[in-house]
PDB file of all heavy atoms in Angstrom:
ATOM      1  N   ILE A 220     -22.103  -6.276 -10.440  1.00  0.00           N
ATOM      2  CA  ILE A 220     -21.461  -6.067 -11.751  1.00  0.00           C
ATOM      3  C   ILE A 220     -20.248  -5.146 -11.642  1.00  0.00           C
ATOM      4  O   ILE A 220     -19.173  -5.425 -12.191  1.00  0.00           O
ATOM      5  CB  ILE A 220     -22.483  -5.474 -12.751  1.00  0.00           C
ATOM      6  CG1 ILE A 220     -23.689  -6.418 -12.873  1.00  0.00           C
ATOM      7  CG2 ILE A 220     -21.835  -5.231 -14.114  1.00  0.00           C
ATOM      8  CD1 ILE A 220     -24.888  -5.798 -13.576  1.00  0.00           C
ATOM      9  N   ASP A 221     -20.410  -4.052 -10.880  1.00  0.00           N
ATOM     10  CA  ASP A 221     -19.297  -3.121 -10.691  1.00  0.00           C
ATOM     11  C   ASP A 221     -18.112  -3.825 -10.017  1.00  0.00           C
ATOM     12  O   ASP A 221     -16.965  -3.700 -10.463  1.00  0.00           O
ATOM     13  CB  ASP A 221     -19.783  -1.944  -9.836  1.00  0.00           C
ATOM     14  CG  ASP A 221     -18.661  -1.008  -9.438  1.00  0.00           C
ATOM     15  OD1 ASP A 221     -18.225  -0.238 -10.314  1.00  0.00           O
ATOM     16  OD2 ASP A 221     -18.220  -1.058  -8.277  1.00  0.00           O
ATOM     17  N   ALA A 222     -18.394  -4.592  -8.979  1.00  0.00           N
ATOM     18  CA  ALA A 222     -17.319  -5.326  -8.284  1.00  0.00           C
ATOM     19  C   ALA A 222     -16.690  -6.369  -9.206  1.00  0.00           C
ATOM     20  O   ALA A 222     -15.474  -6.587  -9.178  1.00  0.00           O
ATOM     21  CB  ALA A 222     -17.863  -5.993  -7.021  1.00  0.00           C
ATOM     22  N   ALA A 223     -17.509  -6.984 -10.060  1.00  0.00           N
ATOM     23  CA  ALA A 223     -16.985  -8.003 -10.986  1.00  0.00           C
ATOM     24  C   ALA A 223     -16.014  -7.389 -11.987  1.00  0.00           C
ATOM     25  O   ALA A 223     -14.980  -7.985 -12.324  1.00  0.00           O
ATOM     26  CB  ALA A 223     -18.136  -8.701 -11.699  1.00  0.00           C
ATOM     27  N   ALA A 224     -16.337  -6.175 -12.463  1.00  0.00           N
ATOM     28  CA  ALA A 224     -15.425  -5.495 -13.399  1.00  0.00           C
ATOM     29  C   ALA A 224     -14.070  -5.264 -12.729  1.00  0.00           C
ATOM     30  O   ALA A 224     -13.011  -5.444 -13.350  1.00  0.00           O
ATOM     31  CB  ALA A 224     -16.037  -4.170 -13.851  1.00  0.00           C
ATOM     32  N   LYS A 225     -14.098  -4.912 -11.452  1.00  0.00           N
ATOM     33  CA  LYS A 225     -12.845  -4.667 -10.731  1.00  0.00           C
ATOM     34  C   LYS A 225     -12.077  -5.970 -10.492  1.00  0.00           C
ATOM     35  O   LYS A 225     -10.842  -5.987 -10.563  1.00  0.00           O
ATOM     36  CB  LYS A 225     -13.145  -3.952  -9.410  1.00  0.00           C
ATOM     37  CG  LYS A 225     -13.672  -2.528  -9.646  1.00  0.00           C
ATOM     38  CD  LYS A 225     -14.293  -1.942  -8.392  1.00  0.00           C
ATOM     39  CE  LYS A 225     -14.838  -0.540  -8.665  1.00  0.00           C
ATOM     40  NZ  LYS A 225     -15.721  -0.062  -7.560  1.00  0.00           N
ATOM     41  N   ILE A 226     -12.808  -7.042 -10.229  1.00  0.00           N
ATOM     42  CA  ILE A 226     -12.164  -8.346 -10.061  1.00  0.00           C
ATOM     43  C   ILE A 226     -11.429  -8.764 -11.334  1.00  0.00           C
ATOM     44  O   ILE A 226     -10.321  -9.314 -11.296  1.00  0.00           O
ATOM     45  CB  ILE A 226     -13.219  -9.400  -9.627  1.00  0.00           C
ATOM     46  CG1 ILE A 226     -13.442  -9.313  -8.118  1.00  0.00           C
ATOM     47  CG2 ILE A 226     -12.830 -10.831 -10.018  1.00  0.00           C
ATOM     48  CD1 ILE A 226     -12.215  -9.623  -7.263  1.00  0.00           C
ATOM     49  N   VAL A 227     -12.042  -8.474 -12.481  1.00  0.00           N
ATOM     50  CA  VAL A 227     -11.403  -8.778 -13.770  1.00  0.00           C
ATOM     51  C   VAL A 227     -10.104  -7.990 -13.916  1.00  0.00           C
ATOM     52  O   VAL A 227      -9.068  -8.533 -14.320  1.00  0.00           O
ATOM     53  CB  VAL A 227     -12.365  -8.448 -14.929  1.00  0.00           C
ATOM     54  CG1 VAL A 227     -11.645  -8.437 -16.257  1.00  0.00           C
ATOM     55  CG2 VAL A 227     -13.514  -9.442 -14.938  1.00  0.00           C
ATOM     56  N   ILE A 228     -10.158  -6.706 -13.576  1.00  0.00           N
ATOM     57  CA  ILE A 228      -8.963  -5.863 -13.702  1.00  0.00           C
ATOM     58  C   ILE A 228      -7.856  -6.373 -12.766  1.00  0.00           C
ATOM     59  O   ILE A 228      -6.689  -6.467 -13.154  1.00  0.00           O
ATOM     60  CB  ILE A 228      -9.311  -4.386 -13.412  1.00  0.00           C
ATOM     61  CG1 ILE A 228     -10.331  -3.877 -14.447  1.00  0.00           C
ATOM     62  CG2 ILE A 228      -8.060  -3.515 -13.419  1.00  0.00           C
ATOM     63  CD1 ILE A 228     -10.949  -2.524 -14.124  1.00  0.00           C
ATOM     64  N   LEU A 229      -8.224  -6.752 -11.555  1.00  0.00           N
ATOM     65  CA  LEU A 229      -7.232  -7.294 -10.609  1.00  0.00           C
ATOM     66  C   LEU A 229      -6.678  -8.637 -11.081  1.00  0.00           C
ATOM     67  O   LEU A 229      -5.474  -8.887 -10.991  1.00  0.00           O
ATOM     68  CB  LEU A 229      -7.851  -7.435  -9.215  1.00  0.00           C
ATOM     69  CG  LEU A 229      -8.172  -6.113  -8.501  1.00  0.00           C
ATOM     70  CD1 LEU A 229      -8.956  -6.358  -7.219  1.00  0.00           C
ATOM     71  CD2 LEU A 229      -6.899  -5.325  -8.207  1.00  0.00           C
ATOM     72  N   ALA A 230      -7.547  -9.494 -11.602  1.00  0.00           N
ATOM     73  CA  ALA A 230      -7.092 -10.810 -12.095  1.00  0.00           C
ATOM     74  C   ALA A 230      -6.083 -10.626 -13.224  1.00  0.00           C
ATOM     75  O   ALA A 230      -5.037 -11.282 -13.260  1.00  0.00           O
ATOM     76  CB  ALA A 230      -8.278 -11.646 -12.562  1.00  0.00           C
ATOM     77  N   ASN A 231      -6.397  -9.716 -14.137  1.00  0.00           N
ATOM     78  CA  ASN A 231      -5.506  -9.508 -15.281  1.00  0.00           C
ATOM     79  C   ASN A 231      -4.215  -8.806 -14.892  1.00  0.00           C
ATOM     80  O   ASN A 231      -3.133  -9.177 -15.346  1.00  0.00           O
ATOM     81  CB  ASN A 231      -6.226  -8.698 -16.365  1.00  0.00           C
ATOM     82  CG  ASN A 231      -7.336  -9.493 -17.040  1.00  0.00           C
ATOM     83  OD1 ASN A 231      -7.275 -10.723 -17.111  1.00  0.00           O
ATOM     84  ND2 ASN A 231      -8.357  -8.812 -17.519  1.00  0.00           N
ATOM     85  N   SER A 232      -4.324  -7.781 -14.046  1.00  0.00           N
ATOM     86  CA  SER A 232      -3.142  -6.953 -13.795  1.00  0.00           C
ATOM     87  C   SER A 232      -2.260  -7.516 -12.683  1.00  0.00           C
ATOM     88  O   SER A 232      -1.043  -7.403 -12.745  1.00  0.00           O
ATOM     89  CB  SER A 232      -3.557  -5.525 -13.451  1.00  0.00           C
ATOM     90  OG  SER A 232      -4.316  -5.497 -12.259  1.00  0.00           O
ATOM     91  N   VAL A 233      -2.864  -8.123 -11.671  1.00  0.00           N
ATOM     92  CA  VAL A 233      -2.067  -8.595 -10.534  1.00  0.00           C
ATOM     93  C   VAL A 233      -1.714 -10.071 -10.673  1.00  0.00           C
ATOM     94  O   VAL A 233      -0.636 -10.501 -10.284  1.00  0.00           O
ATOM     95  CB  VAL A 233      -2.828  -8.340  -9.210  1.00  0.00           C
ATOM     96  CG1 VAL A 233      -2.081  -8.933  -8.036  1.00  0.00           C
ATOM     97  CG2 VAL A 233      -3.045  -6.848  -9.002  1.00  0.00           C
ATOM     98  N   LEU A 234      -2.637 -10.865 -11.228  1.00  0.00           N
ATOM     99  CA  LEU A 234      -2.398 -12.313 -11.345  1.00  0.00           C
ATOM    100  C   LEU A 234      -2.012 -12.742 -12.762  1.00  0.00           C
ATOM    101  O   LEU A 234      -1.873 -13.940 -13.032  1.00  0.00           O
ATOM    102  CB  LEU A 234      -3.637 -13.086 -10.887  1.00  0.00           C
ATOM    103  CG  LEU A 234      -4.135 -12.778  -9.469  1.00  0.00           C
ATOM    104  CD1 LEU A 234      -5.440 -13.500  -9.195  1.00  0.00           C
ATOM    105  CD2 LEU A 234      -3.097 -13.162  -8.432  1.00  0.00           C
ATOM    106  N   ASN A 235      -1.867 -11.761 -13.660  1.00  0.00           N
ATOM    107  CA  ASN A 235      -1.489 -12.053 -15.054  1.00  0.00           C
ATOM    108  C   ASN A 235      -2.430 -13.026 -15.737  1.00  0.00           C
ATOM    109  O   ASN A 235      -2.005 -13.818 -16.580  1.00  0.00           O
ATOM    110  CB  ASN A 235      -0.063 -12.602 -15.130  1.00  0.00           C
ATOM    111  CG  ASN A 235       0.947 -11.562 -14.683  1.00  0.00           C
ATOM    112  OD1 ASN A 235       0.857 -10.399 -15.083  1.00  0.00           O
ATOM    113  ND2 ASN A 235       1.871 -11.962 -13.836  1.00  0.00           N
ATOM    114  N   ARG A 236      -3.700 -13.000 -15.363  1.00  0.00           N
ATOM    115  CA  ARG A 236      -4.652 -13.841 -16.075  1.00  0.00           C
ATOM    116  C   ARG A 236      -5.128 -13.102 -17.325  1.00  0.00           C
ATOM    117  O   ARG A 236      -4.752 -11.946 -17.582  1.00  0.00           O
ATOM    118  CB  ARG A 236      -5.830 -14.180 -15.153  1.00  0.00           C
ATOM    119  CG  ARG A 236      -5.390 -15.059 -13.983  1.00  0.00           C
ATOM    120  CD  ARG A 236      -6.562 -15.683 -13.298  1.00  0.00           C
ATOM    121  NE  ARG A 236      -7.306 -16.574 -14.195  1.00  0.00           N
ATOM    122  CZ  ARG A 236      -8.371 -17.274 -13.845  1.00  0.00           C
ATOM    123  NH1 ARG A 236      -8.824 -17.188 -12.601  1.00  0.00           N
ATOM    124  NH2 ARG A 236      -9.000 -18.053 -14.695  1.00  0.00           N
ATOM    125  N   ASN A 237      -5.932 -13.783 -18.139  1.00  0.00           N
ATOM    126  CA  ASN A 237      -6.444 -13.161 -19.361  1.00  0.00           C
ATOM    127  C   ASN A 237      -7.941 -13.456 -19.415  1.00  0.00           C
ATOM    128  O   ASN A 237      -8.387 -14.365 -20.096  1.00  0.00           O
ATOM    129  CB  ASN A 237      -5.709 -13.724 -20.572  1.00  0.00           C
ATOM    130  CG  ASN A 237      -6.151 -13.045 -21.856  1.00  0.00           C
ATOM    131  OD1 ASN A 237      -6.941 -12.101 -21.834  1.00  0.00           O
ATOM    132  ND2 ASN A 237      -5.666 -13.542 -22.980  1.00  0.00           N
ATOM    133  N   VAL A 238      -8.712 -12.685 -18.643  1.00  0.00           N
ATOM    134  CA  VAL A 238     -10.140 -12.961 -18.486  1.00  0.00           C
ATOM    135  C   VAL A 238     -10.957 -11.696 -18.751  1.00  0.00           C
ATOM    136  O   VAL A 238     -10.413 -10.587 -18.774  1.00  0.00           O
ATOM    137  CB  VAL A 238     -10.442 -13.482 -17.065  1.00  0.00           C
ATOM    138  CG1 VAL A 238      -9.770 -14.828 -16.839  1.00  0.00           C
ATOM    139  CG2 VAL A 238      -9.983 -12.485 -15.998  1.00  0.00           C
ATOM    140  N   THR A 239     -12.248 -11.881 -18.957  1.00  0.00           N
ATOM    141  CA  THR A 239     -13.146 -10.735 -19.090  1.00  0.00           C
ATOM    142  C   THR A 239     -14.282 -10.897 -18.082  1.00  0.00           C
ATOM    143  O   THR A 239     -14.391 -11.925 -17.414  1.00  0.00           O
ATOM    144  CB  THR A 239     -13.735 -10.608 -20.509  1.00  0.00           C
ATOM    145  OG1 THR A 239     -14.780 -11.579 -20.659  1.00  0.00           O
ATOM    146  CG2 THR A 239     -12.681 -10.818 -21.581  1.00  0.00           C
ATOM    147  N   ILE A 240     -15.149  -9.898 -18.045  1.00  0.00           N
ATOM    148  CA  ILE A 240     -16.216  -9.893 -17.053  1.00  0.00           C
ATOM    149  C   ILE A 240     -17.159 -11.081 -17.249  1.00  0.00           C
ATOM    150  O   ILE A 240     -17.815 -11.520 -16.310  1.00  0.00           O
ATOM    151  CB  ILE A 240     -16.964  -8.540 -17.061  1.00  0.00           C
ATOM    152  CG1 ILE A 240     -17.810  -8.389 -15.799  1.00  0.00           C
ATOM    153  CG2 ILE A 240     -17.768  -8.347 -18.333  1.00  0.00           C
ATOM    154  CD1 ILE A 240     -18.214  -6.967 -15.484  1.00  0.00           C
ATOM    155  N   LYS A 241     -17.188 -11.639 -18.465  1.00  0.00           N
ATOM    156  CA  LYS A 241     -18.045 -12.796 -18.735  1.00  0.00           C
ATOM    157  C   LYS A 241     -17.581 -14.039 -17.949  1.00  0.00           C
ATOM    158  O   LYS A 241     -18.333 -14.987 -17.781  1.00  0.00           O
ATOM    159  CB  LYS A 241     -18.072 -13.094 -20.232  1.00  0.00           C
ATOM    160  CG  LYS A 241     -18.613 -11.929 -21.063  1.00  0.00           C
ATOM    161  CD  LYS A 241     -18.453 -12.144 -22.557  1.00  0.00           C
ATOM    162  CE  LYS A 241     -18.858 -10.904 -23.346  1.00  0.00           C
ATOM    163  NZ  LYS A 241     -17.787  -9.867 -23.419  1.00  0.00           N
ATOM    164  N   ASP A 242     -16.334 -14.027 -17.508  1.00  0.00           N
ATOM    165  CA  ASP A 242     -15.792 -15.183 -16.779  1.00  0.00           C
ATOM    166  C   ASP A 242     -16.088 -15.153 -15.281  1.00  0.00           C
ATOM    167  O   ASP A 242     -15.725 -16.086 -14.559  1.00  0.00           O
ATOM    168  CB  ASP A 242     -14.270 -15.251 -16.968  1.00  0.00           C
ATOM    169  CG  ASP A 242     -13.880 -15.359 -18.432  1.00  0.00           C
ATOM    170  OD1 ASP A 242     -14.432 -16.244 -19.109  1.00  0.00           O
ATOM    171  OD2 ASP A 242     -13.045 -14.563 -18.901  1.00  0.00           O
ATOM    172  N   VAL A 243     -16.708 -14.077 -14.807  1.00  0.00           N
ATOM    173  CA  VAL A 243     -16.904 -13.930 -13.362  1.00  0.00           C
ATOM    174  C   VAL A 243     -18.265 -14.467 -12.928  1.00  0.00           C
ATOM    175  O   VAL A 243     -19.296 -14.098 -13.488  1.00  0.00           O
ATOM    176  CB  VAL A 243     -16.792 -12.445 -12.931  1.00  0.00           C
ATOM    177  CG1 VAL A 243     -16.873 -12.324 -11.402  1.00  0.00           C
ATOM    178  CG2 VAL A 243     -15.518 -11.818 -13.446  1.00  0.00           C
ATOM    179  N   HIS A 244     -18.252 -15.347 -11.932  1.00  0.00           N
ATOM    180  CA  HIS A 244     -19.506 -15.779 -11.301  1.00  0.00           C
ATOM    181  C   HIS A 244     -19.988 -14.652 -10.388  1.00  0.00           C
ATOM    182  O   HIS A 244     -19.257 -14.202  -9.521  1.00  0.00           O
ATOM    183  CB  HIS A 244     -19.275 -17.057 -10.493  1.00  0.00           C
ATOM    184  CG  HIS A 244     -20.430 -17.388  -9.601  1.00  0.00           C
ATOM    185  ND1 HIS A 244     -21.588 -17.962 -10.065  1.00  0.00           N
ATOM    186  CD2 HIS A 244     -20.621 -17.171  -8.279  1.00  0.00           C
ATOM    187  CE1 HIS A 244     -22.434 -18.116  -9.066  1.00  0.00           C
ATOM    188  NE2 HIS A 244     -21.873 -17.636  -7.969  1.00  0.00           N
ATOM    189  N   MET A 245     -21.235 -14.203 -10.611  1.00  0.00           N
ATOM    190  CA  MET A 245     -21.745 -13.027  -9.895  1.00  0.00           C
ATOM    191  C   MET A 245     -22.990 -13.325  -9.101  1.00  0.00           C
ATOM    192  O   MET A 245     -23.936 -13.916  -9.616  1.00  0.00           O
ATOM    193  CB  MET A 245     -22.166 -11.990 -10.929  1.00  0.00           C
ATOM    194  CG  MET A 245     -21.195 -10.879 -11.130  1.00  0.00           C
ATOM    195  SD  MET A 245     -21.908  -9.777 -12.366  1.00  0.00           S
ATOM    196  CE  MET A 245     -20.938 -10.220 -13.801  1.00  0.00           C
ATOM    197  N   GLU A 246     -22.996 -12.880  -7.856  1.00  0.00           N
ATOM    198  CA  GLU A 246     -24.208 -12.935  -7.050  1.00  0.00           C
ATOM    199  C   GLU A 246     -24.265 -11.641  -6.240  1.00  0.00           C
ATOM    200  O   GLU A 246     -23.275 -11.258  -5.631  1.00  0.00           O
ATOM    201  CB  GLU A 246     -24.138 -14.158  -6.116  1.00  0.00           C
ATOM    202  CG  GLU A 246     -25.436 -14.481  -5.422  1.00  0.00           C
ATOM    203  CD  GLU A 246     -25.251 -15.586  -4.382  1.00  0.00           C
ATOM    204  OE1 GLU A 246     -24.448 -16.522  -4.615  1.00  0.00           O
ATOM    205  OE2 GLU A 246     -25.884 -15.475  -3.319  1.00  0.00           O
ATOM    206  N   GLY A 247     -25.404 -10.973  -6.271  1.00  0.00           N
ATOM    207  CA  GLY A 247     -25.520  -9.673  -5.611  1.00  0.00           C
ATOM    208  C   GLY A 247     -26.024  -9.768  -4.190  1.00  0.00           C
ATOM    209  O   GLY A 247     -25.983 -10.831  -3.564  1.00  0.00           O
ATOM    210  N   ILE A 248     -26.528  -8.643  -3.677  1.00  0.00           N
ATOM    211  CA  ILE A 248     -26.946  -8.600  -2.267  1.00  0.00           C
ATOM    212  C   ILE A 248     -28.461  -8.481  -2.104  1.00  0.00           C
ATOM    213  O   ILE A 248     -28.951  -8.331  -0.981  1.00  0.00           O
ATOM    214  CB  ILE A 248     -26.286  -7.415  -1.525  1.00  0.00           C
ATOM    215  CG1 ILE A 248     -26.749  -6.059  -2.108  1.00  0.00           C
ATOM    216  CG2 ILE A 248     -24.774  -7.514  -1.571  1.00  0.00           C
ATOM    217  CD1 ILE A 248     -26.479  -4.891  -1.171  1.00  0.00           C
TER     218      ILE A 248
END
Side-chain angles (χ1 to χ4, degrees):
Chain A
I220 302 167
D221 173 76
K225 293 166 181 167
I226 277 298
V227 167
I228 298 169
L229 291 172
N231 290 332
S232 63
V233 175
L234 304 174
N235 295 315
R236 294 195 62 179
N237 183 5
V238 295
T239 77
I240 195 161
K241 300 172 186 82
D242 301 309
V243 185
H244 168 78
M245 258 181 256
E246 191 187 324
I248 64 162

